[in-house]
C-alpha cells in the first residue's frame, strides 16, 4: 500500500532563517506531488505541484521554492523565512489522471518567530 | 479562476442533531471531492461525485451533487462527537500532462457538543 511521510512534524524558526521540509511517498510510481499551506483556521492554499522529476509549477508568487530531485521526493524550501510563512504545510500525492483524490501527509506546523 | 463557496463557515450542534454543509460554484463542475480534517490533523478524502444529481451514502453521511453540477452538499444524520472537524469540498480540474488540480473551499468547521 502507498504511504506518505512528511517531516518534521513541528518547526520553530527565526525570521530570516532557511527552511527545508521534506516529503516522500512509498508504494507508487510517478505520482503527482503537491505542497499546500493552511493558515490557522483557514482553507488550503496550493503552493506547488509536480507531475514529474524536476517539473515544478508554482501557484502563488512568494519566497518559497520547491524541488523534486527524485520521483517520490518533494522538498519545500526557503532561503529566508518571513513571519507570514507561518502555517501548516501539507504535502500530498495523487495518481495522475482526472479526478484522482489527494492523499495528504501528516503536515508540518511551522512557526516563524 | 474557478472558486467554490462553502457555507456555513462554522456550525455547532448538539450530539444527535443533523448537520449540512453546502458547496456552491458559479460554473459547472466536472466533479467534486469531499475531505474531512480532524482538529490538528490532515485532510482525508471522503468521496468523489461525478454525475449530475448523484447521491452517495457512507453510513450517516449523505453526499449530493446538484442536477446542474454547480453545487454539492454533505449531510450528516445524528451527529456524533467523532464527526468533529472541518469538511472541505474540492472540485478538480484536469490538465493535459496528468496534472489534477483541486480547488479547496474554505471549509465548514463542525463542533459537536455532547
Amino acid at each position: 500500500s502507498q504511504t506518505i511521510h512528511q517531516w518534521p512534524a513541528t518547526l520553530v524558526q527565526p525570521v530570516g532563517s532557511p527552511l527545508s521540509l521534506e516529503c516522500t511517498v512509498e508504494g507508487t510510481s510517478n505520482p503527482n506531488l503537491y505542497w499546500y499551506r493552511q493558515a490557522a483556521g483557514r482553507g488550503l492554499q496550493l503552493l506547488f505541484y509536480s507531475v514529474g522529476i524536476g517539473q515544478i509549477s508554482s501557484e502563488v508568487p512568494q519566497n518559497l521554492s520547491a524541488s523534486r530531485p527524485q520521483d517520490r521526493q518533494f522538498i519545500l524550501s526557503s532561503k529566508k523565512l518571513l513571519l507570514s510563512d507561518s502555517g501548516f504545510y501539507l504535502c500530498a500525492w495523487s495518481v495522475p489522471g482526472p479526478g484522482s483524490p489527494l492523499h495528504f501527509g501528516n503536515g508540518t506546523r511551522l512557526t516563524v518567530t | 479562476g474557478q472558486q467554490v463557496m462553502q457555507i456555513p463557515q462554522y456550525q455547532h450542534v448538539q450530539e444527535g442533531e443533523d448537520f449540512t454543509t453546502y458547496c456552491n460554484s458559479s460554473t459547472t463542475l466536472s466533479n467534486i471531492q469531499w475531505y474531512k480534517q480532524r482538529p490538528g490533523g490532515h485532510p482525508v478524502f471522503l468521496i468523489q461525485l461525478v454525475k449530475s444529481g448523484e447521491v452517495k451514502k457512507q453510513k450517516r453521511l449523505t453526499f449530493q451533487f446538484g442536477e446542474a453540477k454547480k453545487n454539492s452538499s454533505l449531510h450528516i444524520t445524528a451527529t456524533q462527537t467523532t464527526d468533529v472537524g472541518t469538511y472541505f469540498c474540492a472540485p478538480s480540474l484536469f490538465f493535459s500532462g496528468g496534472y489534477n488540480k483541486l480547488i479547496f473551499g474554505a471549509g465548514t468547521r463542525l463542533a459537536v457538543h455532547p
Side-chain angles (χ1 to χ4, degrees):
Chain A
S1 64
Q2 302 90 355
T3 55
I4 178 169
H5 303 280
Q6 189 180 341
W7 67 93
T10 59
L11 192 59
V12 180
Q13 293 283 99
V15 168
S17 64
L19 172 74
S20 181
L21 302 181
E22 190 163 341
C23 171
T24 59
V25 180
E26 296 177 359
T28 187
S29 296
N30 196 32
N32 285 348
L33 296 173
Y34 309 80
W35 278 111
Y36 282 86
R37 177 169 61 198
Q38 186 176 36
R42 307 289 291 277
L44 295 153
Q45 179 187 34
L46 179 62
L47 302 176
F48 300 95
Y49 66 90
S50 172
V51 299
I53 296 174
Q55 301 178 61
I56 309 294
S57 295
S58 173
E59 283 290 306
V60 291
Q62 59 211 320
N63 69 322
L64 299 172
S65 62
S67 61
R68 185 171 177 172
Q70 300 181 46
D71 181 44
R72 289 167 287 180
Q73 182 185 27
F74 207 22
I75 298 171
L76 181 69
S77 305
S78 174
K79 292 182 179 178
K80 288 186 177 181
L81 284 169
L82 306 172
L83 285 174
S84 57
D85 291 324
S86 293
F88 190 41
Y89 288 82
L90 289 154
C91 180
W93 72 272
S94 73
V95 174
S100 297
L102 296 187
H103 306 277
F104 288 87
N106 289 335
T108 295
R109 202 163 300 278
L110 171 66
T111 303
V112 182
T113 59
Chain B
Q2 187 169 62
Q3 292 185 349
V4 288
M5 179 172 293
Q6 255 187 281
I7 52 173
Q9 288 186 327
Y10 171 76
Q11 185 162 2
H12 73 266
V13 299
Q14 288 295 126
E15 190 172 20
E17 292 181 339
D18 292 356
F19 160 77
T20 304
T21 174
Y22 300 91
C23 184
N24 299 310
S25 170
S26 59
T27 60
T28 302
L29 307 172
S30 59
N31 64 73
I32 194 159
Q33 300 178 13
W34 285 91
Y35 291 76
K36 175 185 178 181
Q37 183 177 23
R38 294 182 185 272
H42 59 276
V44 174
F45 173 73
L46 294 176
I47 210 158
Q48 178 173 242
L49 305 171
V50 179
K51 299 177 183 176
S52 168
E54 189 170 16
V55 177
K56 288 188 176 180
K57 292 190 175 184
Q58 289 180 349
K59 297 182 181 179
R60 294 177 294 102
L61 277 61
T62 302
F63 303 84
Q64 287 191 309
F65 204 7
E67 293 288 344
K69 299 182 74 174
K70 289 185 175 182
N71 54 71
S72 180
S73 65
L74 159 58
H75 179 82
I76 302 178
T77 303
T79 54
Q80 300 176 358
T81 55
T82 53
D83 296 323
V84 165
T86 301
Y87 293 85
F88 293 97
C89 65
S92 72
L93 303 174
F94 183 67
F95 298 86
S96 61
Y99 169 47
N100 188 39
K101 177 178 179 177
L102 267 69
I103 312 295
F104 282 85
T108 295
R109 189 158 65 94
L110 172 64
V112 179
H113 299 286

